[in-house]
Amino acid sequence: GVISPEMETPKLLWLHENRPDVFDAAWQFFDLADYLSWRATGSLARSICTLTCKWTYLAHEQRWDRDYFGKIGLGALADEGFARIGTEVVAPGTALGRGLTPQAAADLGLMAGTPVAAGLIDAHAGGIGTVGALGADATASMAYVFGTSSCTMTTTAQPAFVPGVWGPYYSAMLPEMWLNEGGQSAAGAAIDHLLMLHPAHAEAKVLAQAAGLALPVWLADMAAAASPDLSDAATLAQEVHVVPEFLGNRAPFADPHARAIVAGLGMETDLASLIQLYIAGICGIGYGLRQIIETQTSHGAPIQQVMISGGAGQHDLVRQLLADCAGVAVIATEAAEPVLLGSAMLAGVASGRFESVQNAMTAMSRPKRSFEPAGGAMHLRHGQRFAAFELLQDTARRIRNR
């Protein structure tokens, strides 16, 4: 099998092989969420979320796999009883230690003993901050965090094995449920890089700064103003097509060698052509999301709607284009920062305000607006553009593998 270098065991193996002195001297190895909770409370307990999603912990069996660590060259960690990577594993929202230590409380300006919850990976916090907004059935909603990178998280009652999608992970986001995780290593960052390639980038950036906006937001405003409705903005892309895989394809192809493709460019250098490129790039992000949804559906993890969060997905134009490109409703919640809301939900559980994560989700998250996918001619247009997207992907793959 294969494992992404984004995971922690490949990083530990690199450290073991290339900096053995550092590896041997290290007292503990932490994921960021667990490091922060240790600094806050002194507790060495790790979150099921971090260990299962990034460290290969088998949450459904409540154990590490000694054979795996031995086979990859990290048997030393197994021989130590996994003491340096976690022997106490707890559910997100579990109250840790005795709360904030006196030193941490002084550093943060809070009271010693303030409850501290076992945490989540940031994207997963965005997941619990959104997927409960429509009611109790979280399996109907895919959490989609669209930021610098993108992350999709789908909950199922039974494990679903989806090619090119991480998981299934038990209790990694919602207790006693299974999680599949996809997305792309570059999403918002891919759009930023795409725009930098255009001759009008510098001019547009000055105009955006004068308006007090980030460039992608300014371009979205321009595109919306030039269109009869948000869905119609897709026509501004005309015949430009973008496969924005600058850092490979995380899902559903797990192809680190994939690279971006831009097709249909002319010699235009004006702002209108920059807007054209921007819209084509957003559509490319949406078609990648559609591929993940379709792959998961065919392997037992269907969804009914996408719950969006993340800085790159805050504009209504982006949300509508994603709905149209993916062919599924995109729901925005009331919370401006669902990742922070998800963290607050964990705090509510740790403090005793809520009995469970599910109760906190139902009480604290509400939908704000639904962006329904376009029908008619626009639906057909996106079908044609999606076919072109997949053709470009396949052609690039054939070129690399010839």
Side-chain angles (χ1 to χ4, degrees), residues 31-50 88-101 104 108 110-111 113-121 125 128 173 339-357 360 364:
D31 213 85
L32 177 59
D34 298 323
Y35 171 76
L36 292 174
S37 62
W38 168 70
R39 284 292 303 271
T41 67
S43 171
L44 290 175
R46 265 65 161 196
S47 168
I48 289 177
C49 175
T50 57
E88 182 184 359
V89 186
V90 299
T94 300
L96 298 177
R98 297 181 179 179
L100 283 179
T101 64
L108 297 171
L110 299 172
M111 293 178 59
T114 299
V116 175
L120 290 162
I121 298 166
I128 69 165
M173 189 170 78
V339 173
L340 299 182
L341 177 62
S343 299
M345 291 175 179
L346 298 182
V349 175
S351 67
R353 176 65 177 82
F354 297 103
E355 293 183 358
S356 67
V357 171
M364 296 177 67

